[in-house]
Amino acid sequence: MPPKLSARALFWWGVGLVVAGVLGTLVLPQLVAQLGYSTGIAFVQSVVGLVSALVSVAHFLGAGLIAAAFTVRALSRDDNRYAGPAPYTPAKPSNEPPR
């Protein structure tokens, strides 16, 4: 059964998730500092816990999708592989070598 996404689509989705995870890691502490002063700290902690979990999942899922892209690409190249010599077919009576 062929994959639903091509190797190229898997790769770019993975890159996007890794970039989103990195940006989330960079932006999240500054966002928490700004929101902590203006709103209640309990609300910020609950939201930050969820966002932090999503950022962690984005890192791992993105890396997994990039690895899956290389795997799908390697497996899809099977069509042009060398399959070995043609199977043996016995000589036909009209095609026998001279004795």
Side-chain angles (χ1 to χ4, degrees):
M1 180 173 175
K4 301 276 184 197
L5 291 175
S6 67
R8 183 172 293 191
L10 283 172
F11 178 78
W12 286 113
W13 273 101
V15 168
L17 283 174
V18 168
V19 168
V22 169
L23 288 177
T25 302
L26 295 174
V27 170
L28 190 60
Q30 292 153 356
L31 184 64
V32 169
Q34 293 296 323
L35 287 177
Y37 294 123
S38 63
T39 60
I41 196 71
F43 173 73
V44 171
Q45 284 180 343
S46 64
V47 170
V48 167
L50 177 65
V51 172
S52 178
L54 290 175
V55 166
S56 296
V57 168
H59 278 107
F60 289 112
L61 188 60
L65 285 175
I66 291 171
F70 286 109
T71 304
V72 166
R73 183 172 177 150
L75 291 177
S76 66
R77 285 194 221 170
D78 270 350
D79 298 357
N80 297 329
R81 285 182 105 178
Y82 176 68
Y88 172 75
T89 54
K92 297 180 183 172
S94 62
N95 225 6
E96 288 182 8
R99 295 185 187 211

